Amino acid sequence: MENGEIPENANEHCPGPQSESAGKSDACQGCPNQEACSTAPKGPDPDLVAIAERMATVKHKILVLSGKGGVGKSTFSAQLSFALAAMDFQVGLLDIDICGPSIPKMLGLEGQDIHQSNLGWSPVYVESNLGVMSIGFMLPNPDEAVIWRGPRKNGLIKQFLKDVYWGEIDFLVVDAPPGTSDEHISIVQFLQATGIDGAIIVTTPQQVSLIDVRKEVNFCKKVGVPVLGVVENMSGLCQPLTGFRFIRGTENGEQIDVTEKVIEYMREKAPEMLDLIALSEVFDTSGGGAAKMCMEMAVPFLGKIPLDPKLCKAAEEGRSCFTDQNCGMSVPALKSIIEKLLAANQWNQ
């Protein structure tokens, strides 16, 4: 328990040996360290001083959160980082989704290793102004499951914050796991003294997702983290009409591909249709979506991003959507959201 570290064999919701409730809270019952914690001298965690020193060179810290998994939070974190770097900002992307670290793949960095110098752990760089840190770089096998209790996860997050040398950067984007668990409490506590600019919350339009986003907004309010805004992702499937496959179903359930015939028919009979964009509402939006929820909860609504197959492909390939014209449906939406974010917080000055 040196330097206030949480022991690896501690209970899941350990308050920490430096906490006033150490050894006394309900979470401490049955823990092998209960007696030692209850009698140990209390005081400020010296690691928080080290974290504050590290974060002194980071101008802005942004958390990217989601109420549920699978809503495109990490995709948004990756593309936000790509976009900020393309605007000549110095950017760091910290992946604290310990059990599901997808950021290395989405940045095209699979198989990379972390290196140490006399300054600390060095991020893995995509570009000279975009560095990344993730537990994904530390796993011997990408299929390896991370089966850790809360205290060990929190210990790694603390180590990332105090040992990674980012240098002078404009933005640190923190990709958090879904929900409101130990990792979220830890990142807020560890960064509290250095200041968190706020959180961006990513959701999909349907009520099943928004129910949990409301919890995420309330979490931010309780811990004093400003909500920078909510992004509605996968807001309708959107792609050129010619990007669809057309099939004909048979009585026995078979599917016959008639795409070539349909495209050829349009080319001959209605060529103007070849330039049309098709939009389909994949999720139920009858409840008003994220925009209505933001009005009800008095938080900013940053905008909608369509479900764009080209954006999905860019994430799979670890590419930025902003360096080519392959993400024509989603790039305008992403640009609008990022410009609104920068303007609202006066970060582009």
Side-chain angles (χ1 to χ4, degrees):
M1 274 185 278
E2 294 180 5
N3 294 333
E5 291 283 356
I6 296 176
E8 288 190 11
N9 62 344
N11 287 355
E12 186 168 359
H13 298 290
C14 172
Q18 295 297 326
S19 168
E20 290 298 324
S21 60
K24 304 171 187 175
S25 75
D26 291 342
C28 300
Q29 298 303 313
C31 177
N33 308 289
Q34 186 175 6
E35 184 177 351
C37 287
S38 63
T39 57
K42 306 295 186 292
D45 184 350
D47 284 337
L48 296 183
V49 176
I51 290 172
E53 290 174 353
R54 281 290 190 204
M55 293 296 110
T57 60
V58 178
K59 289 182 183 177
H60 303 293
K61 294 172 280 294
I62 304 171
L63 306 183
V64 182
L65 311 175
S66 69
K68 281 195 177 300
V71 299
K73 168 187 56 63
S74 295
T75 298
F76 179 79
S77 296
Q79 295 303 322
L80 171 63
S81 301
F82 275 131
L84 293 172
M87 298 169 75
D88 292 329
F89 289 113
Q90 298 293 323
V91 184
L93 175 53
L94 175 60
D95 180 7
I96 63 166
D97 193 345
I98 307 298
C99 294
S102 52
I103 287 298
K105 181 172 182 61
M106 291 186 176
L107 275 292
L109 298 173
E110 283 185 297
Q112 298 292 320
D113 297 318
I114 298 172
H115 299 284
Q116 283 188 295
S117 69
N118 59 339
L119 296 173
W121 289 359
S122 298
V124 179
Y125 284 89
V126 183
E127 303 286 349
S128 61
N129 64 335
L130 175 53
V132 181
M133 181 56 67
S134 169
I135 191 177
F137 299 135
M138 304 167 69
L139 300 177
N141 181 338
D143 298 330
E144 190 81 22
V146 179
I147 308 172
W148 288 2
R149 290 187 181 275
R152 194 171 179 192
K153 292 179 186 177
N154 298 342
L156 181 62
I157 292 170
K158 180 186 280 189
Q159 193 165 8
F160 278 159
L161 293 175
K162 73 184 180 72
D163 289 346
V164 175
Y165 177 70
W166 298 100
E168 298 274 349
I169 62 173
D170 298 298
F171 293 97
L172 179 64
V173 178
V174 181
D175 185 53
T180 54
S181 56
D182 284 355
E183 294 95 320
H184 305 81
I185 298 169
S186 294
I187 194 74
V188 171
Q189 287 179 339
F190 296 154
L191 291 179
Q192 212 152 32
T194 69
I196 300 172
D197 289 79
I200 300 170
I201 303 175
V202 182
T203 183
T204 45
Q206 78 277 31
Q207 288 299 314
V208 168
S209 179
L210 293 171
I211 288 170
D212 290 332
V213 171
R214 291 174 183 272
K215 298 182 180 74
E216 203 80 34
V217 171
N218 284 323
F219 166 81
C220 289
K221 290 180 178 179
K222 285 180 179 179
V223 298
V225 174
V227 177
L228 300 174
V230 176
V231 173
E232 183 178 285
N233 196 25
M234 306 185 198
S235 187
L237 174 62
C238 189
Q239 68 174 352
L241 191 60
T242 53
F244 283 90
R245 285 178 59 226
F246 296 88
I247 59 172
R248 178 184 291 125
T250 64
E251 292 182 358
N252 61 3
E254 292 181 3
Q255 295 180 344
I256 301 173
D257 193 319
V258 294
T259 304
E260 289 187 15
K261 291 181 180 179
V262 172
I263 298 298
E264 186 59 33
Y265 182 86
M266 286 193 290
R267 188 174 287 117
E268 292 179 2
K269 303 295 185 180
E272 67 276 8
M273 292 183 66
L274 297 174
D275 295 324
L276 292 180
I277 304 298
L279 173 64
S280 173
E281 297 292 349
V282 178
F283 299 107
D284 178 22
T285 59
S286 60
K292 182 181 178 183
M293 184 213 68
C294 287
M295 288 182 60
E296 294 171 348
M297 301 198 74
V299 294
F301 178 60
L302 293 176
K304 301 180 179 182
I305 303 172
L307 179 55
D308 180 0
K310 295 292 180 66
L311 173 58
C312 299
K313 186 173 175 61
E316 284 288 307
E317 296 176 352
R319 291 187 291 105
S320 168
C321 264
F322 299 91
T323 54
D324 53 41
Q325 302 301 314
N326 285 335
C327 301
M329 300 300 103
S330 51
V331 161
L334 283 162
K335 280 185 176 179
S336 174
I337 288 169
I338 293 166
E339 287 169 3
K340 186 183 294 187
L341 187 67
L342 293 173
N345 295 282
Q346 300 182 329
W347 290 338
N348 48 1
Q349 296 182 353

